[in-house]
Amino acid sequence: MGRIVIIGSSAAGLAAVDRIRELDPDVPLLLITAEKGQPYSRLRLPEYAAALIDGDELLNRPKDCYRQKGLEVISGRKVVAVHPGDQRVKLDNGEAIQYTRLLIASGSTPVDLPLPGKELPGVFHLWSRQDAEAIRRYLPAVKQAAVIGAGLIGLKTAEALVRHGVNIYLVEREKQVLPSQLDEEAAQILQRRLEEAGIITYCGRRVTAIAGTKSVEGIIMEDEFLPCQMVLLTAGVRPNISFLEGTGIKIKKGIVVDRHMATSVAGIWAAGDVVESIDIVRRVNDVNAVWYNAVRQGKIAAENIMDVPSIYYGSIPMNSFHLFGLNGVALGDSTGRYTAAGKSHIYMKTDDGIYEKAVFTSEGKRMTGYLALGKIDKAGYAYYRILRDNRD
């Protein structure tokens, strides 16, 4: 077998490296990554940005991990084009790289909100180590920040900045925090924790502009002005697929793959946040951008690249988190919004912030979702029950 090329050094790409090396320690393997330096935990970027941990604590692999795996690595370079006809990828410096088999694990990129003033100094995304380091350098000038987007990234960022001593406005266009994971009752429990931490939250509101002359001076929501010195844009991510134009690879929301993680073009596989795959609860193809699914997809793609037949049966949305002293887990249709009409819910709730909910179809035979705050010891059982009940 000739050289295998992997694009991307996050969860799916590194999982594929591990599995390929387990199957063959000697096959030529090249990793291309836009990141510089060693692999790190994207989940800990908010802590790093807020100067709560140092650079070594951000790393999630040994510093010599690439050498240990016998990898050839091109770092700090982006792939700008793929040419399946002659099995080449083109880098942003013009270099052409030959491959025999290719894995696209290029991950996600932040959604770029069309806001006037977004180009001002003091406006940041938080998706890479480079982003976090820029925020870290800017923090000494910040007393008040605005975080736009109350998903998991936004809440982790808000929590880290509060711990650093920054006052926070949190703005979410939906009517509650964590709208994709929590139902209204669970969101209210978490909302109280945010308020206790001193975060001022605006749900059901939209930022219409970022104000400032030489740097950020505030945000504008409709006709209301809120002064701040920093704005964090955390309104979601999308698959990083712009470099695939003209390849013939089938793309909808993300790269379309079969159950072997193969794309529509021979010799090319894809895994992680860049792909859309079957959501076994909702029975639709969708981008399910969570760490566990990316790792699983990377391993299965690697096995098929190495001619070890392996099937990916699909995924369920799954998120676990610890926010403002509160543990939480959301699995499958955790809000109950997608389960068929006539659904039944089981609730168990206490007055000390513990909340639990299971979602079933109307006949009660198929568990489709699970949500828990506070006490999450049943999450493992719920996960495997949802898988069992919804797998073909």
Side-chain angles (χ1 to χ4, degrees):
M1 183 183 294
R3 180 163 65 176
I4 299 168
V5 172
I6 297 175
I7 302 172
S9 62
S10 196
L14 294 180
V17 167
D18 290 342
R19 187 64 182 129
I20 289 170
R21 278 294 176 250
E22 289 171 359
L23 295 169
D24 189 335
D26 301 315
V27 65
L29 186 56
L30 169 64
L31 181 71
I32 302 173
T33 174
E35 300 281 358
K36 297 179 180 180
Q38 302 303 310
Y40 59 85
S41 171
R42 202 177 297 277
L43 298 175
R44 301 201 72 183
L45 281 176
E47 296 172 274
Y48 183 60
L52 303 176
I53 61 172
D54 62 26
D56 286 343
E57 292 174 285
L58 184 65
L59 302 181
N60 62 359
R61 297 239 171 173
K63 290 186 176 181
D64 62 345
C65 65
Y66 290 149
R67 181 189 60 79
Q68 289 178 3
K69 297 292 182 181
L71 284 179
E72 182 184 358
V73 180
I74 297 176
S75 60
R77 291 293 175 193
K78 293 183 179 180
V79 173
V80 296
V82 175
H83 302 285
D86 50 10
Q87 295 184 308
R88 289 184 299 110
V89 300
K90 182 180 179 182
L91 306 185
D92 56 1
N93 64 353
E95 184 180 0
I97 305 294
Q98 203 77 31
Y99 68 85
T100 300
R101 300 184 180 188
L102 177 67
L103 174 62
I104 301 169
S106 48
S108 301
T109 190
V111 172
D112 193 17
L113 297 176
L115 290 175
K118 67 180 182 180
E119 74 288 345
L120 286 168
V123 179
F124 300 94
H125 292 286
L126 181 52
W127 195 242
S128 69
R129 181 168 184 164
Q130 185 177 1
D131 293 336
E133 289 172 346
I135 293 168
R136 194 172 171 131
R137 289 191 297 269
Y138 203 84
L139 270 181
V142 178
K143 293 183 178 179
Q144 180 79 52
V147 177
I148 302 176
L152 284 169
I153 298 171
L155 291 186
K156 291 294 290 185
T157 302
E159 181 179 35
L161 291 175
V162 165
R163 289 173 59 194
H164 182 85
V166 177
N167 297 315
I168 298 294
Y169 301 125
L170 179 66
V171 184
E172 169 57 50
R173 67 179 182 178
E174 301 295 336
K175 294 181 180 180
Q176 63 173 69
V177 298
L178 290 189
S180 297
Q181 289 83 23
L182 304 185
D183 61 14
E184 184 177 352
E185 292 181 69
Q188 289 174 356
I189 294 171
L190 182 57
Q191 178 78 35
R192 288 194 289 272
R193 294 295 183 104
L194 270 66
E195 292 169 357
E196 290 167 3
I199 294 175
I200 301 174
T201 305
Y202 298 86
C203 290
R205 303 287 298 276
R206 289 177 180 266
V207 174
T208 56
I210 300 170
T213 51
K214 296 182 179 179
S215 62
V216 169
E217 296 174 10
I219 59 172
I220 298 172
M221 295 189 304
E222 291 90 27
D223 295 326
E224 185 175 2
F225 174 79
L226 299 177
C228 62
Q229 299 82 46
M230 176 186 282
V231 175
L232 283 300
L233 304 177
T234 64
V237 295
R238 55 181 173 79
N240 184 16
I241 52 178
S242 60
F243 65 96
L244 297 176
E245 185 176 351
T247 60
I249 293 173
K250 187 176 181 180
I251 295 172
K252 292 182 180 178
K253 292 182 180 179
I255 299 173
V256 177
V257 294
D258 64 17
R259 290 199 165 188
H260 303 284
M261 306 309 299
T263 72
S264 58
V265 173
I268 301 179
W269 289 257
D273 294 3
V274 77
V275 309
E276 64 171 70
S277 59
I278 187 69
D279 178 328
I280 66 172
V281 171
R282 292 188 290 147
R283 310 293 174 93
V284 296
N285 277 4
D286 206 351
V287 177
N288 195 354
V290 297
W291 181 88
Y292 177 84
N293 292 329
V295 169
R296 185 67 186 140
Q297 290 172 0
K299 290 179 178 179
I300 289 175
E303 290 172 354
N304 287 294
I305 288 169
M306 298 300 293
D307 296 322
V308 177
S310 185
I311 295 176
Y312 184 69
Y313 289 98
S315 63
I316 64 172
M318 55 184 299
N319 288 281
S320 62
F321 51 88
H322 181 81
L323 290 166
F324 302 93
L326 189 65
N327 291 317
V329 65
L331 304 173
D333 182 16
S334 55
T335 65
R337 297 182 189 124
Y338 300 105
T339 301
K343 59 185 176 291
S344 59
H345 299 271
I346 295 176
Y347 298 93
M348 289 186 294
K349 192 166 47 171
T350 66
D351 294 332
D352 59 0
I354 295 175
Y355 179 83
E356 186 173 35
K357 168 183 177 177
V359 182
F360 295 86
T361 52
S362 57
E363 75 282 359
K365 294 180 179 179
R366 185 163 66 93
M367 186 175 181
T368 58
Y370 180 78
L371 173 60
L373 293 180
K375 189 177 181 181
I376 60 172
D377 57 312
K378 296 178 184 176
Y381 166 78
Y383 172 74
Y384 287 106
R385 170 72 188 271
I386 294 170
L387 281 183
R388 186 197 72 185
D389 289 359
N390 294 275
R391 222 174 233 178
D392 292 336

